[in-house]
C-alpha cells in the first residue's frame, strides 16, 4: 500500500471524530473490518479487512494498494486503485453500490442526476448535514471532492481490474479452470470444487 494510504488509515484509526464521520454517514466503518469469514485473494497476495458497511460488506486493502469490496451476498470486486480513491468514492458518491448497475457509457448528466437523487434521499432519511460532514472529513484527510462522473469512471476502471488473480475467495475455495471476464458489477466470490 502506498505510504500516503498508510497515513490515511492511521489518521482514521487515531482520530475518533474522523472514524465516526467515515462510518456515518459514509458507511466506511473501521469497527466493521472483520468480514465474518476468511477471505483471500486467488493470487495469494496480502488482503486485509480495513472497514465495513451497514449491509455486512467489507472493504479490503490489497497488497498492490487497491481496495476490494466484498458484499455479504458473495460478490466482490476492486472498487478503487488506492485507499484515497476509495475514501473519495464513498464520500463523493454516497450510496455508490446503487450505481453499479449503470453502464460505463452512462452520460455525465445522468450520473450527476443519479448522484443528486441518492444524496437527497440520504439527506432526507438520516444525514441532513451530509455536505458539512463530507467537507470536514475530506479536509482533515487532505482529499478532494471529485465530480460524480470522475468517481464513477474510477470505480469502473478498478472493477475492470477484477480478474482471477485479484478475486476474493472464501477459505477452501479455488478458482474455476477458466476465470470470468471482467464485468461492470461486483463479481461473485468464486465457489470452488
Amino acid at each position: 500500500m502506498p505510504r500516503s494510504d498508510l497515513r490515511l488509515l492511521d489518521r482514521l484509526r487515531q482520530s475518533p471524530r474522523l472514524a465516526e464521520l467515515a462510518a456515518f454517514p459514509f458507511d466506511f466503518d473501521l469497527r466493521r473490518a472483520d468480514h465474518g469469514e476468511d477471505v483471500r485473494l486467488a493470487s495469494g497476495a496480502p488482503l486485509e479487512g480495513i472497514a465495513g458497511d451497514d449491509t455486512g460488506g467489507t472493504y479490503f486493502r490489497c497488497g498492490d494498494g487497491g481496495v476490494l469490496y466484498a458484499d455479504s451476498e458473495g460478490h466482490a470486486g476492486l472498487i478503487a486503485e488506492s485507499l484515497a480513491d476509495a475514501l473519495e468514492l464513498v464520500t463523493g458518491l454516497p450510496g455508490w453500490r446503487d450505481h453499479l448497475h449503470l453502464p460505463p457509457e452512462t452520460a455525465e448528466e445522468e450520473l450527476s442526476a443519479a448522484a443528486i437523487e441518492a444524496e437527497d434521499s440520504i439527506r432526507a432519511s438520516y444525514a441532513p448535514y451530509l455536505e458539512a460532514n463530507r467537507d470536514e472529513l475530506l479536509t482533515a484527510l487532505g482529499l478532494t471532492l471529485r465530480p460524480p462522473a470522475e468517481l464513477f469512471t474510477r470505480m469502473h476502471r478498478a472493477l475492470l481490474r477484477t480478474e482471477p488473480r485479484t478475486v476474493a475467495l472464501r477459505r477452501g475455495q479455488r478458482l474455476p479452470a477458466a476465470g470470468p471476464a471482467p464485468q461492470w458489477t461486483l463479481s461473485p466470490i468464486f465457489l470452488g470444487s
Side-chain angles (χ1 to χ4, degrees):
M1 175 176 271
R3 199 176 300 266
S4 60
D5 278 359
L6 289 174
R7 282 193 295 267
L8 280 174
L9 194 53
D10 285 344
R11 185 93 195 254
L12 284 170
R13 287 176 174 161
Q14 293 170 6
S15 170
R17 174 65 180 159
L18 296 181
E20 176 186 326
L21 284 171
F24 183 82
F26 302 108
D27 219 7
F28 190 88
D29 192 340
L30 300 178
R31 297 168 300 183
R32 296 179 185 220
D34 181 15
H35 191 64
E37 60 186 322
D38 288 340
V39 177
R40 65 178 174 82
L41 288 179
S43 67
L47 186 67
E48 175 193 6
I50 55 173
D53 64 24
D54 64 1
T55 67
T58 307
Y59 296 92
F60 292 92
R61 145 178 109 163
C62 301
D64 69 354
V67 175
L68 181 137
Y69 175 80
D71 69 17
S72 61
E73 302 300 315
H75 296 85
L78 290 170
I79 60 157
E81 303 291 333
S82 67
L83 178 59
D85 285 357
L87 288 166
E88 287 180 348
L89 173 66
V90 301
T91 57
L93 198 60
W96 63 269
R97 293 177 305 278
D98 296 333
H99 303 294
L100 285 169
H101 71 283
L102 296 172
E105 63 275 1
T106 303
E108 187 171 338
E109 298 79 29
E110 186 178 345
L111 290 171
S112 293
I116 289 167
E117 183 179 339
E119 286 193 15
D120 286 348
S121 175
I122 290 168
R123 232 180 266 103
S125 297
Y126 60 87
Y129 304 108
L130 183 67
E131 287 84 8
N133 294 151
R134 176 173 32 225
D135 290 346
E136 182 180 349
L137 182 61
L138 291 176
T139 299
L141 295 176
L143 299 175
T144 303
L145 177 60
R146 310 269 179 201
E150 180 180 341
L151 296 169
F152 181 79
T153 299
R154 282 181 176 183
M155 177 180 65
H156 281 293
R157 187 174 50 233
L159 283 167
L160 278 177
R161 283 189 47 228
T162 304
E163 55 187 62
R165 67 181 172 76
T166 56
V167 165
L169 301 171
R170 292 183 179 129
R171 185 192 329 199
Q173 292 178 323
R174 288 181 232 146
L175 281 174
Q183 299 175 354
W184 287 110
T185 59
L186 295 176
S187 301
I189 294 177
F190 291 101
L191 301 175
S193 52

